[in-house]
Amino acid sequence: MKYTQFAVVLGASAFLFAGTVEAKAHAHLVTSIPAAKAVVASPVTISVAFNENLEAKFSGFDVTNAAGAKIALAPTLDPKDKKTLVAAPQAPLAPGVYKLAWHVVGSDGHKIEGAYDFTVK
C-alpha cells in the first residue's frame, strides 16, 4: 500500500472511531417513572434515570400540566447511584396530561435535554 493510501485509510479510520466514541459519551435516558406515554394513578415519586453519572448542580426536571403550569417539585440526585433524579409532588396530581422536561449534564460535561408526556387517570 502506498503511503498516501495508508494515510487516507488511517485518517478515515480515526474519523469513524472518534464519531463512535462521541456518540457513546453523552448521557441518555434509560428509564423513567412514570414512563413516556404511560397512563398512571397520581405518582408518589417521579424519577428519570440515565446511563452515566450526572452533575447534580446542572441537572433537573420540570413537570407541567396541560395548561403549562409547573408542578411544585424539587428534583434531587439519588446519592446511591448518581444517575437518577427523583422528586415527589407536594400534592397528588389531578387527572390529565403532564409533560416532563429534563435537562442533565453527564460526566462528559455535555448538556442533554428531552421531554415526554404521561397521563394521570
Side-chain angles (χ1 to χ4, degrees):
M1 181 181 294
K2 293 182 180 179
Y3 177 75
T4 55
Q5 290 173 324
F6 178 75
V8 169
V9 170
L10 183 62
S13 298
F15 177 76
L16 291 173
F17 178 72
T20 303
V21 171
E22 184 69 23
K24 292 181 181 178
H26 297 312
H28 66 270
L29 184 64
V30 176
T31 61
S32 58
I33 299 173
K37 307 221 184 280
V39 178
V40 299
S42 181
V44 175
T45 60
I46 298 172
S47 66
V48 288
F50 296 83
N51 67 318
E52 66 180 53
N53 289 347
L54 304 176
E55 297 291 332
K57 186 175 180 179
F58 304 108
S59 301
F61 63 82
D62 293 310
V63 175
T64 53
N65 64 19
K70 279 189 180 181
I71 305 304
L73 295 170
T76 58
L77 189 61
D78 183 334
K80 295 177 188 171
D81 73 1
K82 308 265 191 249
K83 298 177 182 181
T84 305
L85 292 166
V86 181
Q90 294 178 359
L93 300 181
V97 177
Y98 292 83
K99 179 179 180 179
L100 187 149
W102 54 266
H103 60 277
V104 299
V105 173
S107 56
D108 66 353
H110 290 101
K111 182 177 181 180
I112 307 296
E113 53 191 30
Y116 67 87
D117 293 338
F118 66 91
T119 302
V120 173
K121 57 183 174 178

